[in-house]
Structure formats: C-alpha cells, structure tokens
Amino acid sequence: MTANTPTTGDSKRSVTGVTSVTGVTGVTGQRIFSGIQPSGRLHIGNYLGAISQFVPLQEEYECIFGIVDLHAMTQLYEKDEMSQRITNAAVNYLACGLDPNKATLMLQSGVAEHAELAWILSTVTPLPWIQRVPTFKEKARHQPDNVNMGLLNYPVLMAADILIYKSVAVPVGEDQRPHLELTREIARAFNARFGSFFPEPAEIIGSQARVIGLDGKNRMSKSLDNCIYLDDEPDVIREKIAKQGVTDPARVKRTDPGNPDICNIFTWHKLFSTKEEQAYCAKECRKAGFGCLDCKAILIKNILAVLEPIQERQKELMADLDGVKEIIRDGTDRARKIAQETMKEVREITGLTYLS
Ligand code: TYM
C-alpha cells in the first residue's frame, strides 16, 4: 500500500511534529485519543482514514482508542445487536494492528466520566456553535424521524472523549474536522471561564482521509451501502468491485478510451497499487488497451493482499472472544483512572466540591 503520511490539521506538519504542535496549552503528556462508533461493520474507509494512522502512533505516543457506544446510540439500533457491534469494532482494531500492550483500547460507556464531562462542557458551549456543525444537519436529514438531543450533543460528547484525557492530538478522517475545530473552541471557552486547563488538540488528518465509496461519488459510509467491509469475503469483494465499482462514466464500450483522472477505481489504485501498476493501468485505460474489468482485477488482487492478514487475524480473535473482552476491560479500567483524575480536577476548578 502507498505510504500514509499524516499531517496535523493546524500545521500541516508530519505526524512527528505532533510533539511540538503550537498553540497547545496545559499539555501534561503526549496523549492521543481517537474513537470509532460501533454502528456496524468497519470498512476500508475506516481503515485507511483512521485505523492505519493509529498503528504507527501507538509506537510513539500514549494512545487511547475508544469504541464510542454512547455516540452510536444516537441512531436507532436493536438492543441485542450492541454487544456484537462492540466485539466487531474491538476485533477490527486488534486485527488491523493495535497492540494492547502499547495502546489502551477502551469502551466509552465503561467510563462514566465521559458523559459527566460532556455535561459540564455543554454549559460553556453556546447553542449556535452546535447548530452550525455540518454533521448535525447531515444526520438530521438522514434520520428525520429521530432528530434526538443526542445528535445535537454529539460533538460535545466527542469533545469530552478527547479532553478528559487532555489529548494533544486526534487522528481522524476528513469528515471529523469540524468536530475537532469545535473541540478546540470548547476547550478555549472552558479555559477562558475557569482558567487554563485543557490543551487544544490538533487533528491528525492522513493522506487517505476521504475514501470514496463504490458509487464513485460519496464518502464510503455504512449508511450509503457503498462499502468494502474489512470482513467481506474475497468473493464478495470481487463481485462488489466488478459489479458496483463505478468507473469513468464516459467509457461505455471496451473500445472507448477512458480517463483515469475521473475514475474512482483509479483513485483506489493510488491507495492499493504500486506506482508501476498505477502507470500501467493509466496508460492502458487511456488507449483502451484493456477493459475496466482488467483494471479492476489488478485492484482486487491488491485489496485482497492488504485484507488477507487482517482477515486471518480477525478469525483468530473471533475464536477467543473472552480474550478480546479482557483486553477491552483492562483498557477501560486504565482509561477510567485517568478520566477520574481529570474529573477530580475539573470538579475543583468549577467549584463542584461541596461534599468533598
Ligand atoms: P466513525 O465511527 O464514523 O468513523 C471512525 C473513523 O473513520 C473515519 N472514516 C473515514 N476516513 C476516510 N474515508 C472514509 N470514507 C471514512 N469513513 C469514516 C472517520 O473520520 C473516523 O476517524 N465521531 C466519530 C467517533 C468519535 C471520535 C471521538 C473520534 C467519537 N468520539 C473522539 C475521535 C475522537 C465518528 O463518528 O467516527
């Protein structure tokens, strides 16, 4: 796969620059937080945009990665499904290379302090800041029958997830950028009211931060049914790419020359194929030297090669779900200790100490 070189949102420096992100106040350690919602199966957008960035970060920083089940509650779900979704997220985190000896894997609902801090942060967050967040409008459009308060509070809870660990940076895909901007604003508002306390975390946005789905138009997203999932069987991946993978729409017949610059399959080649394969595919496409299915066959081979070790690891982990749960339990316990310390300080600086 091509190298992923994340940059921090503010400074556009390589991720090694995170240690010296400017504008960060009150840094107490080099801690990084990110989260994934257990709202379904994880796809290659989640992998390329987020998890593949987490893996190198765990070597250098104190990383906490959350399975944010409270956020997932803002969408309708079957009660019995939730545990299975959490398992799926945990298995994928681990199968993609997160090492519980290096990073902390935690479950958001297991650390009640996230929700407690979210309430306190909501009291320093002016309503118009929240109303203008584009993801709220998008979600409200997407689920018009369920525009709940949780959707509105979603970014405040996200700010709490990040700030409760005094994180200095947050690796995410492009769609999360507005949430990170708001998190910094909320941190600033809190600090202005109660004194400098929270760092203003930078976002770490990688070079694969907006993976387009099979439809060739929209961001890959569970809700749009345009995904290659990390646990899709090889035959399913072959069929999805061959049948649903949109190419240059002007290339109707095999003999029509195509334009790789407007072909999403070629965009995916840039993520999964070698430079030589990319050059070969671009050349053959432009001169109609081969058909879209030939081009897709090379891509499929490369996607399967990336997913093969991940899927092998998924199977091993699925055979030891007690072990997976233990990892999450341990990580959640570790995270809770940090969160409790932060909340103790927050209670002191906000004057919530009457009974202490
Ligand atoms: P979620 O669960 O939607 O997505 C998890 C991560 O995957 C990234 N991502 C993508 N990246 C590139 N291309 C795509 N097509 C694509 N689809 C998803 C997302 O940007 C994200 O990084 N609000 C968050 C969860 C969250 C969180 C947090 C993240 C809650 N609290 C605190 C960071 C810090 C979300 O919905 O992610």
Side-chain angles (χ1 to χ4, degrees):
M1 203 176 359
T2 51
N4 184 11
T5 324
T7 54
T8 61
D10 278 354
S11 58
K12 297 278 180 240
R13 269 183 300 232
S14 80
V15 76
T16 49
V18 169
T19 44
S20 57
V21 171
T22 48
V24 172
T25 54
V27 178
T28 55
Q30 296 305 319
R31 207 175 279 139
I32 280 180
F33 180 91
S34 195
I36 287 191
Q37 288 191 74
S39 51
R41 296 154 68 205
L42 299 196
H43 51 71
I44 58 173
N46 298 128
Y47 174 65
L48 295 173
I51 308 181
S52 70
Q53 296 208 76
F54 301 170
V55 176
L57 287 169
Q58 69 184 347
E59 303 296 333
E60 277 187 74
Y61 298 95
E62 183 188 343
C63 289
I64 303 178
F65 298 119
I67 300 170
V68 292
D69 49 349
L70 298 178
H71 278 108
M73 290 183 75
T74 57
Q75 296 167 33
L76 294 178
Y77 65 99
E78 293 300 324
K79 167 176 147 297
D80 296 339
E81 267 176 35
M82 191 51 103
S83 291
Q84 199 193 331
R85 288 173 171 203
I86 291 168
T87 302
N88 182 286
V91 163
N92 277 301
Y93 263 154
L94 295 165
C96 291
L98 291 194
D99 179 346
N101 296 312
K102 294 178 181 160
T104 298
L105 268 51
M106 57 84 63
L107 182 63
Q108 185 191 37
S109 65
V111 180
E113 286 74 12
H114 285 230
E116 187 181 357
L117 181 60
W119 176 260
I120 290 176
L121 295 179
S122 77
T123 67
V124 298
T125 307
L127 187 57
W129 289 6
I130 298 292
Q131 284 167 326
R132 67 165 196 241
V133 176
T135 46
F136 169 68
K137 294 182 199 148
E138 193 186 307
K139 284 178 183 174
R141 244 196 328 272
H142 190 72
Q143 49 185 72
D145 299 333
N146 184 24
V147 185
N148 56 76
M149 279 297 293
L151 279 185
L152 201 59
N153 283 325
Y154 185 108
V156 183
L157 178 58
M158 188 162 154
D161 296 338
I162 296 164
L163 298 178
I164 195 112
Y165 301 110
K166 300 183 184 168
S167 315
V168 295
V170 184
V172 280
E174 179 65 44
D175 61 304
Q176 299 299 313
R177 194 188 283 279
H179 290 155
L180 265 298
E181 278 162 10
L182 186 66
T183 297
R184 284 191 288 274
E185 284 177 315
I186 293 175
R188 268 199 294 279
F190 182 94
N191 292 346
R193 172 119 176 244
F194 295 109
S196 181
F197 182 70
F198 288 121
E200 288 176 30
E203 64 265 26
I204 303 172
I205 308 266
S207 56
Q208 297 155 27
R210 190 168 187 273
V211 177
I212 300 295
L214 285 160
D215 56 12
K217 292 202 294 274
N218 300 296
R219 191 170 61 86
M220 187 175 287
S221 161
K222 287 164 282 228
S223 56
L224 295 174
D225 192 23
N226 62 0
C227 301
I228 303 281
Y229 292 103
L230 294 180
D231 58 1
D232 268 343
E233 293 287 340
D235 278 347
V236 173
I237 294 176
R238 282 189 197 98
E239 192 171 320
K240 278 186 180 176
I241 295 178
K243 292 204 175 137
Q244 293 177 50
V246 172
T247 54
D248 170 3
R251 193 175 186 201
V252 182
K253 294 193 300 297
R254 159 76 178 73
T255 48
D256 293 337
N259 180 0
D261 298 337
I262 55 165
C263 173
N264 187 46
I265 292 297
F266 191 69
T267 309
W268 284 13
H269 270 299
K270 290 188 195 149
L271 306 178
F272 290 98
S273 303
T274 62
K275 288 271 178 247
E276 292 72 31
E277 285 169 323
Q278 289 172 40
Y280 171 74
C281 290
K283 188 169 88 188
E284 293 301 311
C285 173
R286 284 189 206 284
K287 65 174 191 190
F290 69 4
C292 290
L293 280 178
D294 302 309
C295 178
K296 286 177 171 183
I298 297 172
L299 176 69
I300 290 167
K301 165 182 79 69
N302 293 333
I303 293 186
L304 293 183
V306 169
L307 291 188
E308 191 184 296
I310 295 176
Q311 297 196 341
E312 261 172 38
R313 187 85 185 102
Q314 280 171 351
K315 287 187 187 118
E316 288 164 17
L317 290 157
M318 290 303 285
D320 180 21
L321 289 184
D322 287 345
V324 171
K325 192 178 263 187
E326 227 21 65
I327 289 171
I328 299 300
R329 198 187 300 284
D330 276 0
T332 305
D333 289 347
R334 254 185 283 155
R336 191 181 305 106
K337 288 203 180 80
I338 304 170
Q340 283 174 341
E341 274 171 36
T342 305
M343 272 316 298
K344 191 163 171 283
E345 291 174 290
V346 167
R347 281 173 167 271
E348 274 160 20
I349 61 180
T350 56
L352 299 175
T353 49
Y354 181 75
L355 291 177
S356 53

